Amino acid sequence: MRVYVPLTLSGLAAAHGAGEVGPGPLTAYAVTPGLREWYVSDDIEELEYAALNRAAAASLRMIAGSPDEARRRVVVAVDVPDGSAVADPDHGLSAASLGEVRIAAALPLAKAAAVHVDADDAEKDVAAAAAALGAADLGDDDAQFTVDGAEDHELLWFGVQEIPQLIR
């Protein structure tokens, strides 16, 4: 099963230094039954893209909570054994937790399939989205429009071997 772990650039640097994403338990995103039902698609690539976007939104929340953090969303895609990522059945259809899974232990970075990171040109929109997130959560439509602006930026794909260039 592929899971998408939201991080920040400093979190990616820490994972690179430790050789693992962790410690556990970790919150990640994956193609869960709840996500399948919500997205109404049988196309696994579309479903994985939806899970990746959920993780990118979680990365944005991490950034919003850390004023000194670089304003670039980071998601690490990791292949884990089936059964090691557990969806919460009580919240499976909650809009806030669609696709969310828990992983008990740290994940070896060597098992990562890819790293997804915002391009430099997304930083302004990600910064604005991070600043507007609280108001958007309270129902402010203008703030939600600003948050959605960050989602307009596609995360770029990088191989794990490219992490050192991303974190300098």
Side-chain angles (χ1 to χ4, degrees), residues 12-22 109:
L12 182 62
H16 179 67
E20 64 183 17
V21 179
L109 204 51

Side-chain angles (χ1 to χ4, degrees), residues 73-162:
R73 300 167 298 164
V74 177
V75 176
V76 178
V78 183
D79 293 322
V80 300
D82 288 343
S84 63
V86 180
D88 182 352
D90 294 333
H91 296 98
L93 295 177
S94 164
S97 63
L98 280 170
E100 190 173 290
V101 295
R102 298 276 182 273
I103 301 165
L107 298 172
L109 204 51
K111 297 284 186 184
V115 179
H116 303 271
V117 181
D118 273 314
D120 292 340
D121 68 351
E123 286 187 42
K124 180 180 173 191
D125 288 336
V126 171
L133 198 54
D137 287 346
L138 294 173
D140 183 315
D141 290 337
D142 290 334
Q144 186 61 52
F145 182 78
T146 301
V147 170
D148 292 343
E151 294 173 7
D152 290 342
H153 292 275
E154 296 286 332
L155 296 178
L156 302 177
W157 183 97
F158 295 93
V160 175
Q161 70 276 12
E162 297 177 273

Side-chain angles (χ1 to χ4, degrees), residues 2-97:
R2 177 152 298 170
V3 297
Y4 299 90
V5 183
L7 290 176
T8 60
L9 277 176
S10 64
L12 182 62
H16 179 67
E20 64 183 17
V21 179
L26 297 168
T27 299
Y29 295 82
V31 178
T32 62
L35 185 73
R36 282 182 188 277
E37 188 173 327
W38 171 73
Y39 202 76
V40 193
S41 175
D42 290 330
D43 184 331
I44 191 65
E45 287 183 11
E46 287 181 18
L47 291 165
E48 286 182 342
Y49 184 72
L52 170 66
N53 284 330
R54 302 293 294 179
S59 176
L60 177 65
R61 289 193 176 281
M62 292 173 168
I63 291 166
S66 300
D68 297 331
E69 187 62 55
R71 292 343 210 191
R72 292 172 67 194
R73 300 167 298 164
V74 177
V75 176
V76 178
V78 183
D79 293 322
V80 300
D82 288 343
S84 63
V86 180
D88 182 352
D90 294 333
H91 296 98
L93 295 177
S94 164
S97 63

